[in-house]
Amino acid sequence: MTEGLIKSVVVRCWATGVVIFLCSLVTLPCLAAARSAQSSKAEEDVLLRAMQEELDRSKAQIKMDGAAAPYYLEYRVTDVQEFAARAEFGALVGESLVHARFLRAVVRVGDYKDDSYYGTGQGSVDFIGLDDDMLALRHQLWLLTDRAYKDAIESLAAKRAALEKFKVDQPVDDFAHAPAVHFIGPLAKLDINAHTWRKSLMDATALYRTDSEIQTLGAIADFMAVNQYFVNSEGSVTRLGRTAYQTGLTAITQAPDGMYLTRSPSYISSRIEDLPAPERFVANTATVLDGLKKLRDAPVVDEEYRGPVMIEPDAANDVVAALIGKNILGHRPRLGVNARTTGEYASSYKSRILPEFLSLTDDPTQSSFNGHALAGSYEFDDEGVKARPVKVVENGVLTNYLLGRQPIRDLPNSNGHGRATPGGPPSPTLGNLILTGSQVMSRAELKNKMIDLCRQQGKPYGYLLRTVISSNLYPLLLYRVYAQDGHEELVRGAVFHELDARALRNDLIAVGNDPQVNNTAERIPTSVITPSLLFDELEIKRSETGKEKLPDYPPPPLISPPK
C-alpha cells in the first residue's frame, strides 16, 4: 500500500444513446416530482432558506453611490463535523470533536468578460452560526456580503490599473457562464464508535514493545462529515453531503549506520466499512514493523544505476499524481502572462505528453468499484457546475485541462472541476484520475520483460519500486530484481534522478492490466487510478541525505518491572 493511500480497481460502463432516450421519456413525470420534493426540502432547511432569502435581498438592494451594482453573487457554507484521535506508544495523546461552519461570500462587479475577481476581491470568509437562527444567519450573510462588495469595487479598479501595464495578446473572459442547477441531496452524518477506534489506535501503537529500536510509533483516526450549501444569483441551489474516514500510522527507526527509515501507510475512504477492522489495523501495524526490521538490515544503494525500472501500482499512482495530475489543472497565469496555463504542460496543448498507447480521463461521476468507494467522486463541484468525465489525454496527446469557471485560452467553459477547501476559493482540482492503456500486460509479464531488458543491456539486475513517499517520490520499498533468476533483494537509501514528465513521455514502454486506486484526502478528496509502469531506462542513485547519530544509550525496558 502506498504511504497514505488505499487502493481498488476501476471500470467505466457507458449506456447507449437509445437507452438514455427511452429513460428520459419514461422518467419525465418522475423528474418533475423529484424537483418538487427537492424544493420542499430546501424550504425545510433553515440555513439554505436564509442563504437564498439574503441572496435575493442583496441582488435587489446592494448598490453603492458612484459604483456599479454586482452582476454576480454567491454564498457557500461548508458545515464540518470532525472527530480526530491520536495515540503514541500505546497511549492516547489527543482527541477532539469539532463542529464548525465556514461561510464564503463572493461578489463580482463588472461583467463575465472583465470583473473584480482579483486580489482581495475573491470573496470574504467567516464562521457562521450553528444553531439555525434565521435572523442571526441573515445578519451574518448581510455583513459579509457588504464587505465582499466593497472589496470587489476596489479590486476591479486595481486590476484595471495593473492591466494598463501589460499587453495581453489573447485575452479570455474572467468568468465562464454556467447553467443554473438545483439539487438537494441528503445530509451527511458521522456514524462512528469512538471507543472502538480509540482502542484500535492504542493497541496498534503498543506494538512498539516488540522492537526496541522503534523510535516513533503513532497512529491517527480522522473522521469527517461535510455538508455544503451553495446558492448563486444565476439561480443555482445545491446541498451536498459527504463523509471522509481516514486512519493511519507512522513508524520510524534508524539503521545501524544512522539512516532514518520510515513507513506511514494510511487508509482512506468515504465509507467507514472500507477501513481495516480494528484487529486488521493492529495486524497491519505488525507487518509494517516487521518491514522496518528488514529495511534496517538491507544493503544501501551505492552505485549510479541507469536501466530498466518497474513501478507497481502502489507507487505508480503517486508518480502519476505528482508528474501529471498537478500539471493538467487549468490555472490562469498571473496578469500579463500570455501562456495558456501554468505548470509543466502549459505549452503542451494538442501535443504528445505520454506514449501513444496511453490515455487519461478524469471522471468524478464514477463513485465506486467492487464495493470500494472512490474519494474523488462528486455530483456538483464547488462552483455549482455538474461534474462530468473529461478526456485529458487521448492516445498520448493532451486534449484538455481540468477547469473550473475561470476560463483559459482555447477553453472558455468549466468542465466541473472547480473545487475548494472549507472556506477557501475554488480552483481546478482532480476528481477520479484514471490512466488506461490500449496495450497491457500482466504484472508477471511486465517483470519478465524487465528482466529480458536487463539481459539485453548486460545488467545484472533491474529495480522494482513498490512504495514511495507521495510528497517527494522518495523510494521506501525498492528491490533489486536479479536477471539470473528473478529473485528480489530489498535495498535502501536510493533516490530517482530525472524521474519527470520527459521520462513519462519517452521512457515509459509498457503498463500492466492491474489498475488500482489511491484515495487521498489531504486537502480535497481525490482518487488516482494507475496500473504498473515499466520504463526501459531510469536513473537511480544513492541518496545524499546525511546520516544522524544513533541514540547514545539504550531505551528503557520494554517490559515493566514487577511492583
Side-chain angles (χ1 to χ4, degrees):
M1 173 164 301
T2 296
E3 307 304 277
L5 305 173
I6 195 170
K7 317 293 196 268
S8 64
V9 185
V10 172
V11 175
R12 173 75 181 168
C13 298
W14 296 92
T16 67
V18 173
V19 173
I20 292 174
F21 177 70
L22 290 176
C23 289
S24 297
L25 287 176
V26 172
T27 58
L28 279 174
C30 298
L31 288 173
R35 286 172 181 160
S36 176
Q38 287 190 355
S39 297
S40 176
K41 291 179 182 178
E43 286 295 320
E44 296 169 2
D45 191 309
V46 175
L47 174 57
L48 199 59
R49 188 154 50 90
M51 294 168 66
Q52 187 65 67
E53 290 182 7
E54 193 56 32
L55 182 82
D56 292 340
R57 193 178 75 90
S58 295
K59 283 169 57 179
Q61 298 185 18
I62 190 168
K63 174 71 169 68
M64 286 178 58
D65 291 341
Y71 81 95
Y72 175 88
L73 295 95
E74 165 189 309
Y75 297 143
R76 187 174 79 242
V77 172
T78 309
D79 182 298
V80 179
Q81 298 180 60
E82 180 177 17
F83 168 81
R86 179 175 178 81
E88 292 182 359
F89 300 117
L92 191 70
V93 297
E95 182 176 302
S96 64
L97 181 62
V98 176
H99 186 194
R101 280 176 176 171
F102 304 86
L103 164 64
R104 185 175 187 85
V106 175
V107 176
R108 290 175 178 260
V109 177
D111 54 37
Y112 286 91
K113 184 172 184 60
D114 176 25
D115 76 8
S116 57
Y117 199 78
Y118 170 82
T120 59
Q122 297 181 56
S124 296
V125 183
D126 204 349
F127 292 101
I128 196 168
L130 299 172
D131 56 0
D132 286 349
D133 181 309
M134 172 66 78
L135 292 179
L137 291 171
R138 290 191 60 176
H139 199 82
Q140 289 178 280
L141 288 160
W142 161 65
L143 285 174
L144 206 62
T145 306
D146 183 73
R147 186 196 311 169
Y149 177 47
K150 291 170 180 174
D151 288 343
I153 292 171
E154 293 179 0
S155 294
L156 182 59
K159 189 190 80 170
R160 288 175 173 171
L163 279 173
E164 291 179 359
K165 303 176 184 178
F166 307 111
K167 179 182 178 182
V168 181
D169 293 335
Q170 295 186 9
V172 294
D173 289 357
D174 282 339
F175 197 45
H177 291 269
V181 297
H182 194 282
F183 181 84
I184 308 299
L187 295 172
K189 296 180 180 180
L190 278 182
D191 183 15
I192 60 171
N193 185 322
H195 172 75
T196 298
W197 288 101
R198 188 184 302 121
K199 184 177 185 302
S200 175
L201 301 181
M202 296 165 65
D203 290 346
T205 58
L207 293 179
Y208 80 95
R209 298 187 180 98
T210 65
D211 186 347
S212 62
E213 296 185 56
I214 291 296
Q215 297 180 4
T216 296
L217 185 57
I220 61 99
D222 193 348
F223 306 144
M224 297 177 63
V226 179
N227 290 294
Q228 184 156 286
Y229 304 75
F230 178 89
V231 298
N232 71 13
S233 55
E234 297 168 329
S236 289
V237 180
T238 63
R239 189 184 74 184
L240 304 167
R242 64 174 175 84
T243 51
Y245 298 95
Q246 176 177 4
T247 186
L249 63 98
T250 297
I252 300 175
T253 188
Q254 274 184 283
D257 60 5
M259 181 181 292
Y260 276 106
L261 305 168
T262 183
R263 292 292 311 278
S264 54
S266 64
Y267 311 87
I268 301 168
S269 180
S270 59
R271 302 188 311 185
I272 198 165
E273 56 266 31
D274 288 348
L275 301 186
E279 62 274 10
R280 172 50 55 188
F281 184 70
V282 175
N284 290 352
T285 304
T287 300
V288 167
L289 298 184
D290 182 64
L292 282 178
K293 289 180 182 178
K294 294 175 180 176
L295 270 174
R296 286 200 299 258
D297 298 331
V300 176
V301 171
D302 56 7
E303 83 277 18
E304 291 193 1
Y305 169 90
R306 182 179 289 275
V309 175
M310 178 177 167
I311 303 180
E312 291 188 349
D314 216 37
N317 280 294
D318 292 315
V319 171
V320 168
L323 301 184
I324 301 179
K326 68 180 182 180
N327 290 314
I328 57 174
L329 307 178
H331 292 289
R332 176 85 70 89
R334 67 182 185 275
L335 285 180
V337 175
N338 290 319
R340 178 177 287 104
T341 181
T342 61
E344 187 75 22
Y345 298 145
S347 302
S348 300
Y349 186 55
K350 301 295 184 181
S351 299
R352 187 174 72 84
I353 64 169
L354 289 173
E356 293 180 356
F357 59 86
L358 290 179
S359 295
L360 192 67
T361 299
D362 191 287
D363 185 3
T365 67
Q366 189 156 325
S367 60
S368 66
F369 173 78
N370 199 23
H372 292 278
L374 303 182
S377 302
Y378 56 92
E379 295 176 273
F380 297 87
D381 73 4
D382 297 331
E383 296 181 295
V385 178
K386 187 171 178 58
R388 65 179 179 88
V390 178
K391 293 183 178 180
V392 181
V393 178
E394 297 184 62
N395 301 321
V397 176
L398 180 67
T399 57
N400 215 329
Y401 296 89
L402 302 182
L403 297 168
R405 292 189 65 177
Q406 186 175 53
I408 61 175
R409 178 156 42 95
D410 299 319
L411 299 167
N413 299 309
S414 170
N415 51 36
H417 283 78
R419 304 175 67 195
T421 57
S427 63
T429 306
L430 302 181
N432 297 322
L433 188 66
I434 308 167
L435 182 71
T436 57
S438 59
Q439 304 168 18
V440 297
M441 307 170 70
S442 70
R443 195 175 297 185
E445 289 172 332
L446 278 182
K447 182 178 177 181
N448 288 335
K449 186 174 180 63
M450 180 183 69
I451 291 173
D452 288 341
L453 288 171
C454 290
R455 291 170 179 166
Q456 293 169 18
Q457 298 174 21
K459 298 187 181 299
Y461 51 77
Y463 276 99
L464 173 64
L465 178 63
R466 290 208 165 99
T467 299
V468 297
I469 296 177
S470 57
S471 60
N472 59 10
L473 302 185
Y474 182 86
L476 292 180
L477 295 180
L478 181 67
Y479 299 81
R480 288 177 180 143
V481 179
Y482 285 86
Q484 184 177 4
D485 57 8
H487 83 273
E488 299 176 5
E489 177 188 34
L490 180 65
V491 296
R492 60 183 172 90
V495 294
F496 283 98
H497 181 60
E498 296 182 349
L499 176 54
D500 53 19
R502 182 205 60 81
L504 285 175
R505 183 180 67 246
N506 298 332
D507 301 319
L508 179 56
I509 61 170
V511 298
N513 62 356
D514 53 353
Q516 294 180 341
V517 171
N518 282 359
N519 282 336
T520 67
E522 294 177 359
R523 293 180 64 253
I524 299 172
T526 63
S527 300
V528 178
I529 302 96
T530 305
S532 294
L533 310 174
L534 177 61
F535 294 82
D536 62 353
E537 185 176 81
L538 284 180
E539 185 175 346
I540 293 174
K541 63 180 183 178
R542 183 170 182 163
S543 170
E544 297 179 357
T545 303
K547 298 182 178 68
E548 301 293 334
K549 291 183 177 180
L550 293 166
D552 290 327
Y553 60 102
L558 295 178
I559 300 176
S560 299
K563 295 182 180 179

